């Protein structure tokens, strides 16, 4: 899976550089988020601008990251969702759980 | 003129083929001769439904056994689209996985069948030759 992890001040940004986030590759995102949280990361921003398709496994991995962040008094936020991905969050009502921003800049300003 | 499409594909029991089958679903929606609705939305829904159904077959019914296979049959007529996904495993309790309602927000699993039920008109899981079939129908009229 192609992930780019970068530091922006106190916020760690993971850019998911894949068209699909699904049952085939989402475990790698889960492992990367776990690695970051275990390494002391508190605030994680997941940039989904390149993701055109997300399935229930991809959503489940983000929920896992949300719970992981909560137990460590950290946070996970999402940004740059394409319309189909956004509609999946709405269908599963996860848009009520996550803080979702239009752009990376807007998300970074929220901290 | 007969206006019917039948597609039948067999894949190894591996998630690496999800993208291939999902794309076939998207392309199929573009190719439907008589469909007058939103083709892009239908294509996205077919991509999703096929992906979720395959994951259920590969991981749950076939228990990630790499020696097993999954058979996908798609039948499209003027009025209806039917997707059947055949596994060759012990199967799974579809009602135990999802009762049709939206899973609680912090559940990490159980959304796949909910998504399929949300996007298709009928969903049945039953025994078939040497395994089980997940049969999903959607009216196109």
């Amino acid at each position: 899976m192609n992930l780019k992890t970068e530091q922006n001040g106190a916020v760690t940004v993971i850019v998911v550089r894949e068209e699909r986030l699904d049952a085939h590759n989402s475990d790698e995102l889960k492992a990367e988020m776990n690695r970051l949280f275990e390494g002391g990361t508190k605030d994680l921003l997941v940039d989904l601008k390149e993701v055109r398709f997300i399935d229930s496994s991809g959503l489940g991995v983000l929920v896992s990251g949300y719970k992981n962040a909560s137990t460590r008094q950290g946070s996970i936020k999402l940004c740059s969702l394409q319309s189909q991905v956004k509609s999946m969050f709405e269908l599963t009502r996860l848009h009520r759980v996550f803080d979702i921003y239009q752009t990376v800049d807007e998300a970074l300003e929220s901290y | 003129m007969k206006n019917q499409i039948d597609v039948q594909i067999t894949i190894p029991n591996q998630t690496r083929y999800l993208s291939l089958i999902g794309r076939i679903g998207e392309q199929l929606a573009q190719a439907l001769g008589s469909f007058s609705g939103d083709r892009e939305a239908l294509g996205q829904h077919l991509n999703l439904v096929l992906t979720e159904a395959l994951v259920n077959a590969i991981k749950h019914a076939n228990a990630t056994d790499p020696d097993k296979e999954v058979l996908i049959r798609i039948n499209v007529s003027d009025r209806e689209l039917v997707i059947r996904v055949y596994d060759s495993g012990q199967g799974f309790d579809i009602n135990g996985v999802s009762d049709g309602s939206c899973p609680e927000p912090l559940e990490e699993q159980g959304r796949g069948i909910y998504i399929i039920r949300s996007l298709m008109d009928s969903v049945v899981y039953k025994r078939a030759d040497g395994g089980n079939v997940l049969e999903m129908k959607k009216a196109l009229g």
Side-chain angles (χ1 to χ4, degrees):
Chain A
M1 183 182 215
N2 192 346
L3 299 172
K4 188 172 79 173
T5 302
E6 52 197 21
Q7 201 64 31
N8 194 310
V11 181
T12 305
V13 183
I14 300 180
V15 184
V16 181
R17 307 185 75 173
E18 296 281 347
E19 193 178 295
R20 288 174 65 99
L21 181 55
D22 63 15
H24 182 57
N25 60 12
S26 55
D27 279 349
E28 293 176 54
L29 175 60
K30 186 175 186 173
E32 174 69 356
M33 290 193 297
N34 285 344
R35 185 185 71 81
L36 290 167
F37 283 131
E38 281 165 18
T41 293
K42 287 281 182 212
D43 295 314
L44 195 59
L45 173 63
V46 182
D47 184 339
L48 294 171
K49 67 171 176 268
E50 293 185 32
V51 177
R52 194 175 67 85
F53 177 92
I54 189 167
D55 73 352
S56 63
S57 302
L59 293 169
V61 161
L62 293 171
V63 169
S64 165
Y66 178 89
K67 287 160 62 174
N68 204 339
S70 297
T71 57
R72 296 165 190 268
Q73 281 78 50
S75 71
I76 180 168
K77 300 184 180 186
L78 310 176
C79 71
S80 313
L81 275 59
Q82 294 193 27
S83 60
Q84 188 187 343
V85 172
K86 198 173 168 191
S87 68
M88 286 301 293
F89 277 81
E90 288 164 358
L91 177 65
T92 55
R93 298 176 200 161
L94 287 173
H95 63 303
R96 298 177 189 168
V97 173
F98 288 95
D99 287 335
I100 300 174
Y101 297 88
Q102 300 260 0
T103 64
V104 180
D105 290 344
E106 196 180 302
L108 290 172
E109 282 170 18
S110 72
Y111 288 95
Chain B
M1 185 176 68
K2 194 177 180 186
N3 209 355
Q4 187 150 318
I5 300 173
D6 281 295
V7 181
Q8 182 166 318
I9 308 165
T10 303
I11 59 164
N13 195 57
Q14 297 166 29
T15 55
R16 61 178 298 164
Y17 298 100
L18 295 177
S19 170
L20 169 70
I21 303 302
R23 280 170 197 273
I24 290 172
E26 283 196 343
Q27 291 295 317
L28 188 63
Q30 293 298 326
L32 294 183
S34 57
F35 184 65
S36 59
D38 183 340
R39 285 168 191 271
E40 196 169 333
L42 180 65
Q44 290 170 358
H45 291 171
L46 294 185
N47 189 345
L48 258 174
V49 165
L50 284 162
T51 298
E52 299 293 352
L54 285 174
V55 173
N56 273 307
I58 292 167
K59 289 197 168 180
H60 302 304
N62 283 348
T64 323
D65 180 346
D67 294 329
K68 289 192 185 318
E69 291 179 328
V70 179
L71 167 66
I72 303 121
R73 295 179 68 182
I74 306 171
N75 173 268
V76 194
S77 65
D78 286 340
R79 293 173 173 272
E80 191 178 49
L81 175 116
V82 184
I83 298 172
R84 295 183 181 89
V85 174
Y86 295 81
D87 62 67
S88 51
Q90 294 300 307
F92 63 96
D93 176 11
I94 190 170
N95 293 317
V97 174
S98 165
D99 62 2
S101 61
C102 185
E104 288 298 310
L106 296 184
E107 285 291 327
E108 288 174 42
Q109 297 189 326
R111 288 189 182 84
I113 294 294
Y114 164 73
I115 289 168
I116 293 172
R117 282 186 162 142
S118 299
L119 300 179
M120 302 298 279
D121 296 328
S122 82
V123 180
V124 177
Y125 188 64
K126 58 190 179 188
R127 296 293 298 173
D129 289 344
N132 312 276
V133 58
L134 183 62
E135 185 179 85
M136 301 157 283
K137 297 183 178 178
K138 187 177 182 68
L140 294 176

